[in-house]
mmCIF file with all atom_site columns, all heavy atoms in Angstrom:
data_model
loop_
_atom_site.group_PDB
_atom_site.id
_atom_site.type_symbol
_atom_site.label_atom_id
_atom_site.label_alt_id
_atom_site.label_comp_id
_atom_site.label_asym_id
_atom_site.label_entity_id
_atom_site.label_seq_id
_atom_site.pdbx_PDB_ins_code
_atom_site.Cartn_x
_atom_site.Cartn_y
_atom_site.Cartn_z
_atom_site.occupancy
_atom_site.B_iso_or_equiv
_atom_site.pdbx_formal_charge
_atom_site.auth_seq_id
_atom_site.auth_comp_id
_atom_site.auth_asym_id
_atom_site.auth_atom_id
_atom_site.pdbx_PDB_model_num
ATOM 1   N N   . VAL B 1 63 ? 4.905  13.227 4.811   1.00 97.00 ? 63 VAL B N   1
ATOM 2   C CA  . VAL B 1 63 ? 4.653  14.636 4.545   1.00 97.00 ? 63 VAL B CA  1
ATOM 3   C C   . VAL B 1 63 ? 5.845  15.431 5.047   1.00 97.00 ? 63 VAL B C   1
ATOM 4   O O   . VAL B 1 63 ? 6.304  15.245 6.169   1.00 97.00 ? 63 VAL B O   1
ATOM 5   C CB  . VAL B 1 63 ? 3.373  15.112 5.262   1.00 97.00 ? 63 VAL B CB  1
ATOM 6   C CG1 . VAL B 1 63 ? 3.150  16.592 5.000   1.00 97.00 ? 63 VAL B CG1 1
ATOM 7   C CG2 . VAL B 1 63 ? 2.177  14.297 4.813   1.00 97.00 ? 63 VAL B CG2 1
ATOM 8   N N   . LEU B 1 64 ? 6.346  16.308 4.190   1.00 96.00 ? 64 LEU B N   1
ATOM 9   C CA  . LEU B 1 64 ? 7.434  17.203 4.577   1.00 96.00 ? 64 LEU B CA  1
ATOM 10  C C   . LEU B 1 64 ? 6.932  18.635 4.486   1.00 96.00 ? 64 LEU B C   1
ATOM 11  O O   . LEU B 1 64 ? 6.276  19.013 3.511   1.00 96.00 ? 64 LEU B O   1
ATOM 12  C CB  . LEU B 1 64 ? 8.639  17.027 3.653   1.00 96.00 ? 64 LEU B CB  1
ATOM 13  C CG  . LEU B 1 64 ? 9.336  15.667 3.696   1.00 96.00 ? 64 LEU B CG  1
ATOM 14  C CD1 . LEU B 1 64 ? 10.473 15.632 2.682   1.00 96.00 ? 64 LEU B CD1 1
ATOM 15  C CD2 . LEU B 1 64 ? 9.870  15.370 5.091   1.00 96.00 ? 64 LEU B CD2 1
ATOM 16  N N   . LEU B 1 65 ? 7.236  19.419 5.508   1.00 95.00 ? 65 LEU B N   1
ATOM 17  C CA  . LEU B 1 65 ? 6.834  20.826 5.536   1.00 95.00 ? 65 LEU B CA  1
ATOM 18  C C   . LEU B 1 65 ? 8.061  21.700 5.712   1.00 95.00 ? 65 LEU B C   1
ATOM 19  O O   . LEU B 1 65 ? 8.802  21.554 6.680   1.00 95.00 ? 65 LEU B O   1
ATOM 20  C CB  . LEU B 1 65 ? 5.852  21.068 6.682   1.00 95.00 ? 65 LEU B CB  1
ATOM 21  C CG  . LEU B 1 65 ? 5.429  22.510 6.917   1.00 95.00 ? 65 LEU B CG  1
ATOM 22  C CD1 . LEU B 1 65 ? 4.743  23.099 5.687   1.00 95.00 ? 65 LEU B CD1 1
ATOM 23  C CD2 . LEU B 1 65 ? 4.529  22.616 8.139   1.00 95.00 ? 65 LEU B CD2 1
ATOM 24  N N   . ASN B 1 66 ? 8.253  22.614 4.784   1.00 93.00 ? 66 ASN B N   1
ATOM 25  C CA  . ASN B 1 66 ? 9.289  23.639 4.888   1.00 93.00 ? 66 ASN B CA  1
ATOM 26  C C   . ASN B 1 66 ? 8.567  24.961 5.102   1.00 93.00 ? 66 ASN B C   1
ATOM 27  O O   . ASN B 1 66 ? 8.089  25.585 4.156   1.00 93.00 ? 66 ASN B O   1
ATOM 28  C CB  . ASN B 1 66 ? 10.132 23.660 3.607   1.00 93.00 ? 66 ASN B CB  1
ATOM 29  C CG  . ASN B 1 66 ? 11.245 24.688 3.672   1.00 93.00 ? 66 ASN B CG  1
ATOM 30  O OD1 . ASN B 1 66 ? 11.115 25.739 4.309   1.00 93.00 ? 66 ASN B OD1 1
ATOM 31  N ND2 . ASN B 1 66 ? 12.349 24.395 3.023   1.00 93.00 ? 66 ASN B ND2 1
ATOM 32  N N   . LYS B 1 67 ? 8.467  25.346 6.357   1.00 90.00 ? 67 LYS B N   1
ATOM 33  C CA  . LYS B 1 67 ? 7.665  26.518 6.684   1.00 90.00 ? 67 LYS B CA  1
ATOM 34  C C   . LYS B 1 67 ? 8.315  27.795 6.171   1.00 90.00 ? 67 LYS B C   1
ATOM 35  O O   . LYS B 1 67 ? 7.629  28.746 5.794   1.00 90.00 ? 67 LYS B O   1
ATOM 36  C CB  . LYS B 1 67 ? 7.457  26.587 8.191   1.00 90.00 ? 67 LYS B CB  1
ATOM 37  C CG  . LYS B 1 67 ? 6.283  27.453 8.595   1.00 90.00 ? 67 LYS B CG  1
ATOM 38  C CD  . LYS B 1 67 ? 5.983  27.337 10.062  1.00 90.00 ? 67 LYS B CD  1
ATOM 39  C CE  . LYS B 1 67 ? 4.805  28.235 10.407  1.00 90.00 ? 67 LYS B CE  1
ATOM 40  N NZ  . LYS B 1 67 ? 4.537  28.244 11.846  1.00 90.00 ? 67 LYS B NZ  1
ATOM 41  N N   . LYS B 1 68 ? 9.629  27.819 6.122   1.00 91.00 ? 68 LYS B N   1
ATOM 42  C CA  . LYS B 1 68 ? 10.334 29.011 5.650   1.00 91.00 ? 68 LYS B CA  1
ATOM 43  C C   . LYS B 1 68 ? 9.993  29.287 4.185   1.00 91.00 ? 68 LYS B C   1
ATOM 44  O O   . LYS B 1 68 ? 9.731  30.418 3.800   1.00 91.00 ? 68 LYS B O   1
ATOM 45  C CB  . LYS B 1 68 ? 11.833 28.821 5.833   1.00 91.00 ? 68 LYS B CB  1
ATOM 46  C CG  . LYS B 1 68 ? 12.714 29.920 5.253   1.00 91.00 ? 68 LYS B CG  1
ATOM 47  C CD  . LYS B 1 68 ? 14.175 29.637 5.568   1.00 91.00 ? 68 LYS B CD  1
ATOM 48  C CE  . LYS B 1 68 ? 15.093 30.586 4.806   1.00 91.00 ? 68 LYS B CE  1
ATOM 49  N NZ  . LYS B 1 68 ? 15.121 30.260 3.375   1.00 91.00 ? 68 LYS B NZ  1
ATOM 50  N N   . ASP B 1 69 ? 9.967  28.214 3.377   1.00 92.00 ? 69 ASP B N   1
ATOM 51  C CA  . ASP B 1 69 ? 9.663  28.370 1.957   1.00 92.00 ? 69 ASP B CA  1
ATOM 52  C C   . ASP B 1 69 ? 8.176  28.180 1.658   1.00 92.00 ? 69 ASP B C   1
ATOM 53  O O   . ASP B 1 69 ? 7.773  28.249 0.496   1.00 92.00 ? 69 ASP B O   1
ATOM 54  C CB  . ASP B 1 69 ? 10.471 27.361 1.134   1.00 92.00 ? 69 ASP B CB  1
ATOM 55  C CG  . ASP B 1 69 ? 11.964 27.616 1.210   1.00 92.00 ? 69 ASP B CG  1
ATOM 56  O OD1 . ASP B 1 69 ? 12.347 28.770 1.511   1.00 92.00 ? 69 ASP B OD1 1
ATOM 57  O OD2 . ASP B 1 69 ? 12.742 26.678 0.991   1.00 92.00 ? 69 ASP B OD2 1
ATOM 58  N N   . LYS B 1 70 ? 7.392  27.886 2.686   1.00 92.00 ? 70 LYS B N   1
ATOM 59  C CA  . LYS B 1 70 ? 5.959  27.616 2.521   1.00 92.00 ? 70 LYS B CA  1
ATOM 60  C C   . LYS B 1 70 ? 5.745  26.514 1.480   1.00 92.00 ? 70 LYS B C   1
ATOM 61  O O   . LYS B 1 70 ? 4.972  26.667 0.513   1.00 92.00 ? 70 LYS B O   1
ATOM 62  C CB  . LYS B 1 70 ? 5.183  28.877 2.150   1.00 92.00 ? 70 LYS B CB  1
ATOM 63  C CG  . LYS B 1 70 ? 5.285  30.000 3.180   1.00 92.00 ? 70 LYS B CG  1
ATOM 64  C CD  . LYS B 1 70 ? 4.285  31.100 2.848   1.00 92.00 ? 70 LYS B CD  1
ATOM 65  C CE  . LYS B 1 70 ? 4.466  32.301 3.725   1.00 92.00 ? 70 LYS B CE  1
ATOM 66  N NZ  . LYS B 1 70 ? 5.714  33.034 3.475   1.00 92.00 ? 70 LYS B NZ  1
ATOM 67  N N   . HIS B 1 71 ? 6.438  25.425 1.666   1.00 94.00 ? 71 HIS B N   1
ATOM 68  C CA  . HIS B 1 71 ? 6.408  24.314 0.723   1.00 94.00 ? 71 HIS B CA  1
ATOM 69  C C   . HIS B 1 71 ? 6.032  23.038 1.467   1.00 94.00 ? 71 HIS B C   1
ATOM 70  O O   . HIS B 1 71 ? 6.588  22.720 2.522   1.00 94.00 ? 71 HIS B O   1
ATOM 71  C CB  . HIS B 1 71 ? 7.780  24.155 0.070   1.00 94.00 ? 71 HIS B CB  1
ATOM 72  C CG  . HIS B 1 71 ? 7.823  23.069 -0.952  1.00 94.00 ? 71 HIS B CG  1
ATOM 73  N ND1 . HIS B 1 71 ? 8.240  21.784 -0.644  1.00 94.00 ? 71 HIS B ND1 1
ATOM 74  C CD2 . HIS B 1 71 ? 7.481  23.059 -2.265  1.00 94.00 ? 71 HIS B CD2 1
ATOM 75  C CE1 . HIS B 1 71 ? 8.161  21.038 -1.731  1.00 94.00 ? 71 HIS B CE1 1
ATOM 76  N NE2 . HIS B 1 71 ? 7.711  21.783 -2.728  1.00 94.00 ? 71 HIS B NE2 1
ATOM 77  N N   . LEU B 1 72 ? 5.089  22.326 0.907   1.00 95.00 ? 72 LEU B N   1
ATOM 78  C CA  . LEU B 1 72 ? 4.573  21.083 1.473   1.00 95.00 ? 72 LEU B CA  1
ATOM 79  C C   . LEU B 1 72 ? 4.712  19.996 0.412   1.00 95.00 ? 72 LEU B C   1
ATOM 80  O O   . LEU B 1 72 ? 4.469  20.266 -0.774  1.00 95.00 ? 72 LEU B O   1
ATOM 81  C CB  . LEU B 1 72 ? 3.101  21.258 1.849   1.00 95.00 ? 72 LEU B CB  1
ATOM 82  C CG  . LEU B 1 72 ? 2.380  20.108 2.516   1.00 95.00 ? 72 LEU B CG  1
ATOM 83  C CD1 . LEU B 1 72 ? 2.838  19.964 3.956   1.00 95.00 ? 72 LEU B CD1 1
ATOM 84  C CD2 . LEU B 1 72 ? 0.871  20.348 2.474   1.00 95.00 ? 72 LEU B CD2 1
ATOM 85  N N   . SER B 1 73 ? 5.109  18.815 0.810   1.00 97.00 ? 73 SER B N   1
ATOM 86  C CA  . SER B 1 73 ? 5.166  17.715 -0.156  1.00 97.00 ? 73 SER B CA  1
ATOM 87  C C   . SER B 1 73 ? 4.579  16.445 0.454   1.00 97.00 ? 73 SER B C   1
ATOM 88  O O   . SER B 1 73 ? 4.566  16.264 1.671   1.00 97.00 ? 73 SER B O   1
ATOM 89  C CB  . SER B 1 73 ? 6.606  17.459 -0.620  1.00 97.00 ? 73 SER B CB  1
ATOM 90  O OG  . SER B 1 73 ? 7.387  16.940 0.439   1.00 97.00 ? 73 SER B OG  1
ATOM 91  N N   . LEU B 1 74 ? 4.079  15.602 -0.441  1.00 98.00 ? 74 LEU B N   1
ATOM 92  C CA  . LEU B 1 74 ? 3.545  14.299 -0.054  1.00 98.00 ? 74 LEU B CA  1
ATOM 93  C C   . LEU B 1 74 ? 4.311  13.247 -0.842  1.00 98.00 ? 74 LEU B C   1
ATOM 94  O O   . LEU B 1 74 ? 4.318  13.279 -2.075  1.00 98.00 ? 74 LEU B O   1
ATOM 95  C CB  . LEU B 1 74 ? 2.053  14.209 -0.385  1.00 98.00 ? 74 LEU B CB  1
ATOM 96  C CG  . LEU B 1 74 ? 1.405  12.838 -0.180  1.00 98.00 ? 74 LEU B CG  1
ATOM 97  C CD1 . LEU B 1 74 ? 1.323  12.498 1.308   1.00 98.00 ? 74 LEU B CD1 1
ATOM 98  C CD2 . LEU B 1 74 ? 0.021  12.779 -0.810  1.00 98.00 ? 74 LEU B CD2 1
ATOM 99  N N   . ARG B 1 75 ? 4.945  12.352 -0.127  1.00 98.00 ? 75 ARG B N   1
ATOM 100 C CA  . ARG B 1 75 ? 5.651  11.261 -0.781  1.00 98.00 ? 75 ARG B CA  1
ATOM 101 C C   . ARG B 1 75 ? 4.880  9.977  -0.534  1.00 98.00 ? 75 ARG B C   1
ATOM 102 O O   . ARG B 1 75 ? 4.539  9.655  0.613   1.00 98.00 ? 75 ARG B O   1
ATOM 103 C CB  . ARG B 1 75 ? 7.076  11.130 -0.235  1.00 98.00 ? 75 ARG B CB  1
ATOM 104 C CG  . ARG B 1 75 ? 7.873  9.977  -0.842  1.00 98.00 ? 75 ARG B CG  1
ATOM 105 C CD  . ARG B 1 75 ? 9.310  9.973  -0.308  1.00 98.00 ? 75 ARG B CD  1
ATOM 106 N NE  . ARG B 1 75 ? 10.090 8.865  -0.868  1.00 98.00 ? 75 ARG B NE  1
ATOM 107 C CZ  . ARG B 1 75 ? 10.166 7.661  -0.302  1.00 98.00 ? 75 ARG B CZ  1
ATOM 108 N NH1 . ARG B 1 75 ? 9.552  7.402  0.828   1.00 98.00 ? 75 ARG B NH1 1
ATOM 109 N NH2 . ARG B 1 75 ? 10.886 6.709  -0.874  1.00 98.00 ? 75 ARG B NH2 1
ATOM 110 N N   . ILE B 1 76 ? 4.605  9.253  -1.619  1.00 97.00 ? 76 ILE B N   1
ATOM 111 C CA  . ILE B 1 76 ? 3.943  7.954  -1.528  1.00 97.00 ? 76 ILE B CA  1
ATOM 112 C C   . ILE B 1 76 ? 4.964  6.907  -1.917  1.00 97.00 ? 76 ILE B C   1
ATOM 113 O O   . ILE B 1 76 ? 5.442  6.881  -3.064  1.00 97.00 ? 76 ILE B O   1
ATOM 114 C CB  . ILE B 1 76 ? 2.715  7.866  -2.462  1.00 97.00 ? 76 ILE B CB  1
ATOM 115 C CG1 . ILE B 1 76 ? 1.753  9.019  -2.190  1.00 97.00 ? 76 ILE B CG1 1
ATOM 116 C CG2 . ILE B 1 76 ? 2.025  6.523  -2.287  1.00 97.00 ? 76 ILE B CG2 1
ATOM 117 C CD1 . ILE B 1 76 ? 0.600  9.099  -3.187  1.00 97.00 ? 76 ILE B CD1 1
ATOM 118 N N   . ALA B 1 77 ? 5.320  6.051  -0.980  1.00 98.00 ? 77 ALA B N   1
ATOM 119 C CA  . ALA B 1 77 ? 6.288  4.991  -1.261  1.00 98.00 ? 77 ALA B CA  1
ATOM 120 C C   . ALA B 1 77 ? 5.597  3.819  -1.944  1.00 98.00 ? 77 ALA B C   1
ATOM 121 O O   . ALA B 1 77 ? 4.406  3.570  -1.718  1.00 98.00 ? 77 ALA B O   1
ATOM 122 C CB  . ALA B 1 77 ? 6.946  4.537  0.035   1.00 98.00 ? 77 ALA B CB  1
ATOM 123 N N   . ASP B 1 78 ? 6.354  3.117  -2.804  1.00 98.00 ? 78 ASP B N   1
ATOM 124 C CA  . ASP B 1 78 ? 5.833  1.906  -3.449  1.00 98.00 ? 78 ASP B CA  1
ATOM 125 C C   . ASP B 1 78 ? 4.448  2.174  -4.054  1.00 98.00 ? 78 ASP B C   1
ATOM 126 O O   . ASP B 1 78 ? 3.445  1.530  -3.710  1.00 98.00 ? 78 ASP B O   1
ATOM 127 C CB  . ASP B 1 78 ? 5.761  0.761  -2.424  1.00 98.00 ? 78 ASP B CB  1
ATOM 128 C CG  . ASP B 1 78 ? 5.395  -0.570 -3.045  1.00 98.00 ? 78 ASP B CG  1
ATOM 129 O OD1 . ASP B 1 78 ? 5.642  -0.749 -4.256  1.00 98.00 ? 78 ASP B OD1 1
ATOM 130 O OD2 . ASP B 1 78 ? 4.842  -1.416 -2.315  1.00 98.00 ? 78 ASP B OD2 1
ATOM 131 N N   . THR B 1 79 ? 4.377  3.127  -4.948  1.00 98.00 ? 79 THR B N   1
ATOM 132 C CA  . THR B 1 79 ? 3.100  3.559  -5.519  1.00 98.00 ? 79 THR B CA  1
ATOM 133 C C   . THR B 1 79 ? 2.414  2.414  -6.250  1.00 98.00 ? 79 THR B C   1
ATOM 134 O O   . THR B 1 79 ? 3.045  1.688  -7.037  1.00 98.00 ? 79 THR B O   1
ATOM 135 C CB  . THR B 1 79 ? 3.326  4.734  -6.481  1.00 98.00 ? 79 THR B CB  1
ATOM 136 O OG1 . THR B 1 79 ? 4.151  5.715  -5.838  1.00 98.00 ? 79 THR B OG1 1
ATOM 137 C CG2 . THR B 1 79 ? 2.001  5.382  -6.843  1.00 98.00 ? 79 THR B CG2 1
ATOM 138 N N   . GLN B 1 80 ? 1.127  2.279  -5.999  1.00 97.00 ? 80 GLN B N   1
ATOM 139 C CA  . GLN B 1 80 ? 0.325  1.215  -6.599  1.00 97.00 ? 80 GLN B CA  1
ATOM 140 C C   . GLN B 1 80 ? -0.725 1.818  -7.537  1.00 97.00 ? 80 GLN B C   1
ATOM 141 O O   . GLN B 1 80 ? -1.043 2.995  -7.456  1.00 97.00 ? 80 GLN B O   1
ATOM 142 C CB  . GLN B 1 80 ? -0.374 0.402  -5.505  1.00 97.00 ? 80 GLN B CB  1
ATOM 143 C CG  . GLN B 1 80 ? 0.584  -0.235 -4.503  1.00 97.00 ? 80 GLN B CG  1
ATOM 144 C CD  . GLN B 1 80 ? 1.525  -1.216 -5.177  1.00 97.00 ? 80 GLN B CD  1
ATOM 145 O OE1 . GLN B 1 80 ? 1.071  -2.126 -5.887  1.00 97.00 ? 80 GLN B OE1 1
ATOM 146 N NE2 . GLN B 1 80 ? 2.825  -1.029 -4.962  1.00 97.00 ? 80 GLN B NE2 1
ATOM 147 N N   . THR B 1 81 ? -1.309 0.975  -8.396  1.00 95.00 ? 81 THR B N   1
ATOM 148 C CA  . THR B 1 81 ? -2.336 1.476  -9.322  1.00 95.00 ? 81 THR B CA  1
ATOM 149 C C   . THR B 1 81 ? -3.528 2.052  -8.569  1.00 95.00 ? 81 THR B C   1
ATOM 150 O O   . THR B 1 81 ? -4.180 2.979  -9.041  1.00 95.00 ? 81 THR B O   1
ATOM 151 C CB  . THR B 1 81 ? -2.799 0.374  -10.277 1.00 95.00 ? 81 THR B CB  1
ATOM 152 O OG1 . THR B 1 81 ? -3.235 -0.761 -9.513  1.00 95.00 ? 81 THR B OG1 1
ATOM 153 C CG2 . THR B 1 81 ? -1.659 -0.071 -11.196 1.00 95.00 ? 81 THR B CG2 1
#
Side-chain angles (χ1 to χ4, degrees):
Chain B
V63 179
L64 295 178
L65 175 60
N66 181 328
K67 200 172 180 185
K68 174 177 170 288
D69 295 337
K70 300 190 187 69
H71 182 265
L72 183 73
S73 68
L74 173 69
R75 178 176 179 270
I76 306 173
D78 187 25
T79 311
Q80 302 298 307
T81 55

